[in-house]
Amino acid sequence: EVHLVESGGGLVQPGGSLRLSCAASGFPFSDRYMYWVREAPKKGSEWVAYTNPSGEKRYYPPVVQGRFTISRDNAENKLYLQMNNLKTEDTAIYYCATAADPAPQQRGQGTQVTVSS
């Protein structure tokens, strides 16, 4: 059973940074592509980063390219998202997930990120 627990969200001013963490268990983490997905009111869900099982390949949509960095520690079964130069439009609930468009059982409970002055 996939179990994912996100942490690290909070309130930050525009231009600030946050680092999200995700602790994974219940499945072979090091064999799986892993995703960060966010969901904002009236915007729906969108993936913002994903990485291959080894962590050597990383993918981002243009809206976060150059500002967000995904990484993973397969020895610790952890996934990270470093977010720099945050913008108000990055405000959302951020989920660690095992799919780009995850069903509820494929993601954690989420962590709120609010970017506001």
Side-chain angles (χ1 to χ4, degrees):
E1 179 182 341
V2 171
H3 189 57
L4 300 164
V5 180
E6 302 91 340
S7 61
L11 173 63
V12 63
Q13 293 186 340
S17 299
L18 282 174
R19 187 189 193 214
L20 307 184
S21 299
C22 171
S25 61
F27 67 102
F29 177 80
S30 61
D31 292 345
R32 303 285 287 271
Y33 277 74
M34 291 299 299
Y35 301 77
W36 284 101
V37 175
R38 69 186 181 187
E39 194 167 291
K42 302 181 181 178
K43 288 187 177 179
S45 176
E46 62 176 341
W47 66 271
V48 294
Y50 70 96
T51 181
N52 71 333
S54 71
E56 293 178 348
K57 297 183 179 179
R58 308 173 188 187
Y59 305 89
Y60 309 93
V63 67
V64 306
Q65 178 76 47
R67 301 189 297 121
F68 289 12
T69 302
I70 189 172
S71 61
R72 65 192 297 162
D73 183 338
N74 284 343
E76 297 290 331
N77 283 4
K78 289 191 174 178
L79 186 73
Y80 302 99
L81 185 68
Q82 177 67 43
M83 305 186 294
N84 297 329
N85 191 21
L86 283 161
K87 305 177 180 181
T88 55
E89 52 265 41
D90 294 319
T91 295
I93 300 173
Y94 284 72
Y95 298 92
C96 171
T98 57
D101 185 18
Q105 65 269 27
Q106 296 175 306
R107 69 183 194 188
Q109 85 290 347
T111 186
Q112 176 71 48
V113 172
T114 302
V115 185
S116 174
S117 55

